[in-house]
């Protein structure tokens, strides 16, 4: 919800994260926090399968290019992220549309009804079920590039620990840092994606149209 806000002048905006939680709970109930949960649940299995399968395939292909291992991991991560984005973007469009519906959970349409409505109104293209694809490509591509590149490079630098508990902490720590850094770097693409796929400030007018123009608009108006 926070990402979809349109600056301090947004009349439906939230003052803080706590205010966001309180408002959703008061207006939409506990289930309001779970709006749009079905599309990502449906997408999770193919998303993970595509991510890790394509990562291994890109890594094998890059082996023929004689790239340094560290660079190969990052480029393979980028390729897997871009492929993953194509698979998940339609689910993301439905999810964001459901999450921006401020009616009670029981009053909003189901995921399948919402998907059919989007297709009927705007089609399957870049104004419909694949709206915001460029921003989703950026979000997943950058995240996976940084995550896999950082994780495998650092994992190979830090020595393996013979103690299984310490070895678990080593891998967990590297994964935690990798995910944190990747999230910090890719969040502008995530905000752009949410703005493009979410409701526009003025009905009938498209303010947030493309990924980098949306980033530029957000930077200009909100810093």
């Amino acid at each position: 919800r926070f990402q979809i806000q349109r600056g301090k002048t947004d009349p439906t905006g939230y003052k803080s994260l706590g205010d966001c939680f309180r408002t959703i709970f008061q207006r939409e109930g506990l289930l309001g926090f779970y709006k749009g949960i079905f599309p990502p649940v449906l997408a999770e299995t193919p998303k993970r399968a595509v991510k890790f399968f394509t990562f291994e395939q890109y890594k094998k292909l890059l082996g023929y290019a004689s790239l340094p291992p560290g660079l190969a991991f990052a480029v393979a991560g980028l390729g897997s992220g871009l492929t993953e984005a194509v698979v998940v973007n339609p689910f993301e469009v439905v999810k964001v549309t459901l999450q921006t519906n401020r009616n009670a959970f029981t009053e909003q349409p189901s995921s399948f009804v919402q998907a059919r409505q989007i297709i009927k109104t705007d089609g399957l293209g870049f104004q419909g079920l694949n709206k915001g694809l460029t921003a989703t490509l950026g979000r997943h591509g950058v995240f996976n590039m940084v995550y896999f590149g950082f994780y495998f490079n650092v994992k190979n630098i830090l020595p393996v620990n013979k103690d299984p508990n310490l070895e678990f902490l080593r891998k967990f720590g590297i994964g935690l840092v990798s995910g944190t850094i990747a999230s910090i770097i890719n969040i502008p693409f995530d905000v752009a994606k949410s703005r493009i796929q979410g409701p526009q400030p003025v009905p009938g007018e498209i303010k947030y149209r493309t990924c980098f123009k949306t980033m530029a608009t957000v930077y200009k108006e909100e810093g």
Side-chain angles (χ1 to χ4, degrees), residues 140-184:
H140 288 268
V142 169
F143 181 91
N144 286 324
M145 178 179 68
V146 175
Y147 180 84
F148 283 116
F150 185 91
Y151 181 83
F152 283 104
N153 279 288
V154 174
K155 188 167 73 74
N156 291 333
I157 293 172
L158 297 179
V160 176
N161 203 299
K162 293 181 180 180
D163 186 322
N165 293 324
L166 293 177
E167 176 61 12
F168 167 78
L169 290 175
R170 181 183 77 97
K171 290 182 178 179
F172 178 81
I174 296 171
L176 180 65
V177 174
S178 301
T180 301
I181 294 174
S183 295
I184 290 171

Short mmCIF file of all heavy atoms in Angstrom, two decimals, residues 140-184:
data_model
loop_
_atom_site.label_atom_id
_atom_site.label_comp_id
_atom_site.label_asym_id
_atom_site.label_seq_id
_atom_site.Cartn_x
_atom_site.Cartn_y
_atom_site.Cartn_z
N HIS A 140 12.93 -7.80 -10.80
CA HIS A 140 13.43 -9.17 -10.65
C HIS A 140 14.85 -9.32 -11.20
O HIS A 140 15.66 -10.05 -10.62
CB HIS A 140 12.48 -10.15 -11.33
CG HIS A 140 11.20 -10.32 -10.60
ND1 HIS A 140 10.99 -11.31 -9.67
CD2 HIS A 140 10.04 -9.63 -10.66
CE1 HIS A 140 9.76 -11.22 -9.18
NE2 HIS A 140 9.17 -10.20 -9.76
N GLY A 141 15.13 -8.63 -12.31
CA GLY A 141 16.46 -8.74 -12.89
C GLY A 141 17.53 -8.21 -11.96
O GLY A 141 18.55 -8.87 -11.70
N VAL A 142 17.31 -7.01 -11.43
CA VAL A 142 18.29 -6.40 -10.52
C VAL A 142 18.41 -7.20 -9.23
O VAL A 142 19.52 -7.44 -8.74
CB VAL A 142 17.89 -4.93 -10.23
CG1 VAL A 142 18.73 -4.35 -9.10
CG2 VAL A 142 18.06 -4.08 -11.48
N PHE A 143 17.27 -7.61 -8.68
CA PHE A 143 17.32 -8.36 -7.42
C PHE A 143 18.14 -9.63 -7.57
O PHE A 143 19.04 -9.91 -6.77
CB PHE A 143 15.91 -8.70 -6.94
CG PHE A 143 15.89 -9.46 -5.63
CD1 PHE A 143 15.83 -8.78 -4.42
CD2 PHE A 143 15.99 -10.85 -5.60
CE1 PHE A 143 15.85 -9.46 -3.21
CE2 PHE A 143 16.00 -11.54 -4.40
CZ PHE A 143 15.93 -10.84 -3.20
N ASN A 144 17.82 -10.43 -8.58
CA ASN A 144 18.51 -11.71 -8.74
C ASN A 144 19.97 -11.52 -9.12
O ASN A 144 20.83 -12.32 -8.72
CB ASN A 144 17.80 -12.57 -9.79
CG ASN A 144 16.49 -13.14 -9.26
OD1 ASN A 144 16.39 -13.50 -8.10
ND2 ASN A 144 15.49 -13.22 -10.10
N MET A 145 20.27 -10.50 -9.90
CA MET A 145 21.66 -10.23 -10.26
C MET A 145 22.49 -9.94 -9.02
O MET A 145 23.57 -10.52 -8.82
CB MET A 145 21.74 -9.04 -11.22
CG MET A 145 23.16 -8.67 -11.62
SD MET A 145 23.22 -7.28 -12.77
CE MET A 145 22.65 -5.94 -11.70
N VAL A 146 21.98 -9.06 -8.16
CA VAL A 146 22.71 -8.71 -6.94
C VAL A 146 22.72 -9.87 -5.96
O VAL A 146 23.75 -10.21 -5.38
CB VAL A 146 22.08 -7.46 -6.28
CG1 VAL A 146 22.76 -7.14 -4.95
CG2 VAL A 146 22.19 -6.26 -7.22
N TYR A 147 21.56 -10.53 -5.81
CA TYR A 147 21.45 -11.61 -4.82
C TYR A 147 22.39 -12.77 -5.15
O TYR A 147 23.21 -13.18 -4.32
CB TYR A 147 20.01 -12.11 -4.74
CG TYR A 147 19.84 -13.22 -3.73
CD1 TYR A 147 19.66 -12.93 -2.39
CD2 TYR A 147 19.89 -14.56 -4.11
CE1 TYR A 147 19.53 -13.95 -1.44
CE2 TYR A 147 19.77 -15.58 -3.19
CZ TYR A 147 19.59 -15.27 -1.85
OH TYR A 147 19.48 -16.28 -0.94
N PHE A 148 22.25 -13.32 -6.35
CA PHE A 148 23.08 -14.47 -6.71
C PHE A 148 24.55 -14.08 -6.82
O PHE A 148 25.43 -14.84 -6.40
CB PHE A 148 22.60 -15.08 -8.03
CG PHE A 148 21.36 -15.92 -7.88
CD1 PHE A 148 20.17 -15.55 -8.50
CD2 PHE A 148 21.37 -17.09 -7.14
CE1 PHE A 148 19.04 -16.33 -8.37
CE2 PHE A 148 20.24 -17.88 -7.00
CZ PHE A 148 19.07 -17.49 -7.62
N GLY A 149 24.82 -12.92 -7.40
CA GLY A 149 26.20 -12.48 -7.53
C GLY A 149 26.87 -12.32 -6.18
O GLY A 149 27.98 -12.82 -5.95
N PHE A 150 26.20 -11.66 -5.25
CA PHE A 150 26.77 -11.44 -3.92
C PHE A 150 26.85 -12.74 -3.14
O PHE A 150 27.88 -13.06 -2.55
CB PHE A 150 25.91 -10.42 -3.16
CG PHE A 150 26.48 -10.02 -1.82
CD1 PHE A 150 27.32 -8.92 -1.72
CD2 PHE A 150 26.19 -10.73 -0.67
CE1 PHE A 150 27.86 -8.54 -0.49
CE2 PHE A 150 26.72 -10.37 0.56
CZ PHE A 150 27.55 -9.27 0.64
N TYR A 151 25.78 -13.51 -3.17
CA TYR A 151 25.71 -14.74 -2.35
C TYR A 151 26.83 -15.71 -2.71
O TYR A 151 27.58 -16.17 -1.84
CB TYR A 151 24.35 -15.41 -2.52
CG TYR A 151 24.20 -16.67 -1.69
CD1 TYR A 151 23.83 -16.60 -0.35
CD2 TYR A 151 24.45 -17.92 -2.25
CE1 TYR A 151 23.70 -17.75 0.41
CE2 TYR A 151 24.33 -19.08 -1.49
CZ TYR A 151 23.95 -18.98 -0.16
OH TYR A 151 23.84 -20.12 0.59
N PHE A 152 26.94 -16.05 -3.99
CA PHE A 152 27.91 -17.06 -4.38
C PHE A 152 29.35 -16.56 -4.27
O PHE A 152 30.26 -17.33 -3.96
CB PHE A 152 27.61 -17.56 -5.79
CG PHE A 152 26.45 -18.51 -5.83
CD1 PHE A 152 25.22 -18.09 -6.31
CD2 PHE A 152 26.58 -19.81 -5.38
CE1 PHE A 152 24.14 -18.96 -6.34
CE2 PHE A 152 25.50 -20.69 -5.40
CZ PHE A 152 24.28 -20.27 -5.88
N ASN A 153 29.57 -15.26 -4.53
CA ASN A 153 30.93 -14.73 -4.40
C ASN A 153 31.38 -14.73 -2.94
O ASN A 153 32.49 -15.15 -2.63
CB ASN A 153 31.00 -13.32 -4.98
CG ASN A 153 31.15 -13.33 -6.49
OD1 ASN A 153 32.20 -13.68 -7.02
ND2 ASN A 153 30.09 -12.98 -7.19
N VAL A 154 30.51 -14.25 -2.06
CA VAL A 154 30.88 -14.18 -0.64
C VAL A 154 30.96 -15.59 -0.04
O VAL A 154 31.84 -15.88 0.77
CB VAL A 154 29.88 -13.30 0.14
CG1 VAL A 154 30.16 -13.35 1.63
CG2 VAL A 154 29.94 -11.86 -0.36
N LYS A 155 30.05 -16.48 -0.46
CA LYS A 155 30.05 -17.85 0.06
C LYS A 155 31.35 -18.56 -0.27
O LYS A 155 31.86 -19.37 0.53
CB LYS A 155 28.86 -18.64 -0.50
CG LYS A 155 28.68 -20.02 0.14
CD LYS A 155 27.33 -20.60 -0.21
CE LYS A 155 27.28 -21.06 -1.65
NZ LYS A 155 28.05 -22.31 -1.85
N ASN A 156 31.91 -18.26 -1.43
CA ASN A 156 33.18 -18.89 -1.82
C ASN A 156 34.38 -18.27 -1.13
O ASN A 156 35.44 -18.90 -1.05
CB ASN A 156 33.36 -18.79 -3.34
CG ASN A 156 32.36 -19.66 -4.09
OD1 ASN A 156 31.89 -20.67 -3.57
ND2 ASN A 156 32.02 -19.27 -5.31
N ILE A 157 34.22 -17.04 -0.63
CA ILE A 157 35.33 -16.37 0.06
C ILE A 157 35.41 -16.81 1.51
O ILE A 157 36.49 -17.11 2.03
CB ILE A 157 35.16 -14.83 -0.02
CG1 ILE A 157 35.33 -14.37 -1.48
CG2 ILE A 157 36.17 -14.12 0.88
CD1 ILE A 157 34.98 -12.90 -1.68
N LEU A 158 34.25 -16.86 2.18
CA LEU A 158 34.23 -17.25 3.59
C LEU A 158 34.39 -18.76 3.72
O LEU A 158 33.67 -19.52 3.07
CB LEU A 158 32.91 -16.80 4.24
CG LEU A 158 32.66 -15.29 4.29
CD1 LEU A 158 31.32 -15.00 4.95
CD2 LEU A 158 33.78 -14.58 5.04
N PRO A 159 35.31 -19.21 4.54
CA PRO A 159 35.58 -20.65 4.63
C PRO A 159 34.41 -21.43 5.21
O PRO A 159 33.68 -20.95 6.07
CB PRO A 159 36.80 -20.72 5.56
CG PRO A 159 36.74 -19.45 6.35
CD PRO A 159 36.16 -18.42 5.44
N VAL A 160 34.26 -22.66 4.73
CA VAL A 160 33.23 -23.56 5.23
C VAL A 160 33.58 -23.97 6.66
O VAL A 160 34.75 -24.23 6.98
CB VAL A 160 33.12 -24.82 4.34
CG1 VAL A 160 32.11 -25.81 4.92
CG2 VAL A 160 32.73 -24.43 2.93
N ASN A 161 32.56 -24.01 7.53
CA ASN A 161 32.79 -24.39 8.92
C ASN A 161 32.39 -25.85 9.13
O ASN A 161 31.34 -26.29 8.65
CB ASN A 161 31.97 -23.48 9.85
CG ASN A 161 32.54 -23.43 11.25
OD1 ASN A 161 32.63 -24.45 11.92
ND2 ASN A 161 32.93 -22.24 11.69
N LYS A 162 33.22 -26.60 9.83
CA LYS A 162 32.94 -28.01 10.07
C LYS A 162 31.77 -28.22 11.03
O LYS A 162 31.08 -29.24 10.97
CB LYS A 162 34.19 -28.70 10.62
CG LYS A 162 35.33 -28.76 9.61
CD LYS A 162 36.55 -29.48 10.19
CE LYS A 162 37.67 -29.54 9.15
NZ LYS A 162 38.87 -30.23 9.68
N ASP A 163 31.56 -27.27 11.92
CA ASP A 163 30.43 -27.34 12.84
C ASP A 163 29.14 -27.06 12.06
O ASP A 163 28.99 -25.98 11.49
CB ASP A 163 30.60 -26.31 13.96
CG ASP A 163 29.53 -26.42 15.03
OD1 ASP A 163 28.36 -26.69 14.69
OD2 ASP A 163 29.85 -26.23 16.22
N PRO A 164 28.19 -28.01 12.01
CA PRO A 164 26.97 -27.80 11.20
C PRO A 164 26.16 -26.59 11.63
O PRO A 164 25.53 -25.93 10.80
CB PRO A 164 26.19 -29.10 11.38
CG PRO A 164 26.77 -29.75 12.60
CD PRO A 164 28.20 -29.33 12.67
N ASN A 165 26.14 -26.28 12.92
CA ASN A 165 25.39 -25.12 13.40
C ASN A 165 26.02 -23.83 12.92
O ASN A 165 25.33 -22.90 12.47
CB ASN A 165 25.31 -25.13 14.93
CG ASN A 165 24.48 -26.28 15.47
OD1 ASN A 165 23.49 -26.66 14.85
ND2 ASN A 165 24.89 -26.84 16.60
N LEU A 166 27.35 -23.75 13.01
CA LEU A 166 28.05 -22.56 12.54
C LEU A 166 27.97 -22.44 11.02
O LEU A 166 27.90 -21.34 10.47
CB LEU A 166 29.51 -22.59 13.00
CG LEU A 166 29.74 -22.46 14.51
CD1 LEU A 166 31.22 -22.59 14.84
CD2 LEU A 166 29.19 -21.13 15.04
N GLU A 167 27.97 -23.58 10.33
CA GLU A 167 27.87 -23.57 8.87
C GLU A 167 26.49 -23.07 8.45
O GLU A 167 26.36 -22.30 7.48
CB GLU A 167 28.10 -24.97 8.32
CG GLU A 167 27.93 -25.10 6.81
CD GLU A 167 28.88 -24.23 6.00
OE1 GLU A 167 29.85 -23.68 6.57
OE2 GLU A 167 28.65 -24.11 4.79
N PHE A 168 25.45 -23.49 9.21
CA PHE A 168 24.11 -22.98 8.94
C PHE A 168 24.06 -21.46 9.13
O PHE A 168 23.50 -20.74 8.30
CB PHE A 168 23.09 -23.64 9.87
CG PHE A 168 21.75 -22.95 9.87
CD1 PHE A 168 20.86 -23.14 8.82
CD2 PHE A 168 21.38 -22.10 10.91
CE1 PHE A 168 19.63 -22.49 8.81
CE2 PHE A 168 20.16 -21.46 10.90
CZ PHE A 168 19.28 -21.66 9.86
N LEU A 169 24.66 -20.98 10.21
CA LEU A 169 24.68 -19.53 10.47
C LEU A 169 25.45 -18.79 9.39
O LEU A 169 25.09 -17.67 9.02
CB LEU A 169 25.29 -19.26 11.85
CG LEU A 169 24.44 -19.69 13.06
CD1 LEU A 169 25.21 -19.47 14.35
CD2 LEU A 169 23.12 -18.93 13.08
N ARG A 170 26.53 -19.40 8.89
CA ARG A 170 27.31 -18.77 7.82
C ARG A 170 26.45 -18.57 6.57
O ARG A 170 26.37 -17.46 6.02
CB ARG A 170 28.52 -19.64 7.47
CG ARG A 170 29.43 -19.07 6.38
CD ARG A 170 30.55 -20.03 6.04
NE ARG A 170 30.09 -21.12 5.20
CZ ARG A 170 30.21 -21.15 3.86
NH1 ARG A 170 30.80 -20.15 3.22
NH2 ARG A 170 29.77 -22.18 3.18
N LYS A 171 25.77 -19.62 6.14
CA LYS A 171 24.93 -19.54 4.95
C LYS A 171 23.73 -18.62 5.18
O LYS A 171 23.34 -17.85 4.29
CB LYS A 171 24.47 -20.93 4.53
CG LYS A 171 25.58 -21.80 3.99
CD LYS A 171 25.05 -23.16 3.56
CE LYS A 171 26.15 -24.03 2.97
NZ LYS A 171 25.65 -25.37 2.57
N PHE A 172 23.14 -18.74 6.38
CA PHE A 172 21.98 -17.90 6.70
C PHE A 172 22.38 -16.42 6.69
O PHE A 172 21.66 -15.57 6.14
CB PHE A 172 21.43 -18.28 8.07
CG PHE A 172 20.26 -17.43 8.51
CD1 PHE A 172 18.98 -17.70 8.06
CD2 PHE A 172 20.46 -16.35 9.37
CE1 PHE A 172 17.91 -16.91 8.45
CE2 PHE A 172 19.39 -15.56 9.77
CZ PHE A 172 18.11 -15.85 9.32
N GLY A 173 23.52 -16.11 7.28
CA GLY A 173 23.99 -14.72 7.33
C GLY A 173 24.28 -14.15 5.95
O GLY A 173 23.90 -13.02 5.63
N ILE A 174 24.93 -14.97 5.10
CA ILE A 174 25.24 -14.51 3.74
C ILE A 174 23.94 -14.29 2.97
O ILE A 174 23.78 -13.29 2.26
CB ILE A 174 26.12 -15.53 3.02
CG1 ILE A 174 27.48 -15.67 3.71
CG2 ILE A 174 26.34 -15.12 1.56
CD1 ILE A 174 28.32 -16.81 3.19
N GLY A 175 22.97 -15.21 3.13
CA GLY A 175 21.69 -15.06 2.45
C GLY A 175 20.93 -13.84 2.92
O GLY A 175 20.31 -13.12 2.13
N LEU A 176 20.99 -13.58 4.23
CA LEU A 176 20.29 -12.42 4.80
C LEU A 176 20.88 -11.11 4.27
O LEU A 176 20.14 -10.21 3.83
CB LEU A 176 20.41 -12.45 6.33
CG LEU A 176 19.74 -11.31 7.09
CD1 LEU A 176 18.23 -11.35 6.90
CD2 LEU A 176 20.09 -11.39 8.57
N VAL A 177 22.20 -11.02 4.26
CA VAL A 177 22.86 -9.81 3.75
C VAL A 177 22.61 -9.65 2.26
O VAL A 177 22.33 -8.55 1.77
CB VAL A 177 24.37 -9.85 4.06
CG1 VAL A 177 25.08 -8.66 3.40
CG2 VAL A 177 24.62 -9.83 5.56
N SER A 178 22.68 -10.76 1.52
CA SER A 178 22.45 -10.72 0.07
C SER A 178 21.05 -10.20 -0.25
O SER A 178 20.87 -9.33 -1.11
CB SER A 178 22.62 -12.12 -0.54
OG SER A 178 23.90 -12.63 -0.30
N GLY A 179 20.05 -10.76 0.45
CA GLY A 179 18.67 -10.34 0.21
C GLY A 179 18.42 -8.89 0.60
O GLY A 179 17.68 -8.17 -0.08
N THR A 180 19.06 -8.45 1.70
CA THR A 180 18.89 -7.06 2.14
C THR A 180 19.47 -6.09 1.14
O THR A 180 18.81 -5.10 0.75
CB THR A 180 19.56 -6.86 3.52
OG1 THR A 180 18.98 -7.77 4.46
CG2 THR A 180 19.38 -5.44 4.00
N ILE A 181 20.68 -6.34 0.69
CA ILE A 181 21.33 -5.45 -0.29
C ILE A 181 20.56 -5.44 -1.59
O ILE A 181 20.32 -4.38 -2.19
CB ILE A 181 22.79 -5.89 -0.52
CG1 ILE A 181 23.62 -5.70 0.75
CG2 ILE A 181 23.41 -5.10 -1.67
CD1 ILE A 181 25.03 -6.23 0.66
N ALA A 182 20.14 -6.63 -2.06
CA ALA A 182 19.39 -6.71 -3.31
C ALA A 182 18.07 -5.95 -3.21
O ALA A 182 17.66 -5.28 -4.17
CB ALA A 182 19.13 -8.18 -3.66
N SER A 183 17.40 -6.04 -2.07
CA SER A 183 16.12 -5.34 -1.89
C SER A 183 16.31 -3.83 -1.89
O SER A 183 15.50 -3.09 -2.46
CB SER A 183 15.47 -5.78 -0.57
OG SER A 183 15.12 -7.14 -0.62
N ILE A 184 17.37 -3.36 -1.25
CA ILE A 184 17.64 -1.92 -1.20
C ILE A 184 17.90 -1.38 -2.61
O ILE A 184 17.43 -0.29 -2.97
CB ILE A 184 18.85 -1.63 -0.28
CG1 ILE A 184 18.47 -1.91 1.18
CG2 ILE A 184 19.32 -0.18 -0.43
CD1 ILE A 184 19.64 -1.87 2.13
#
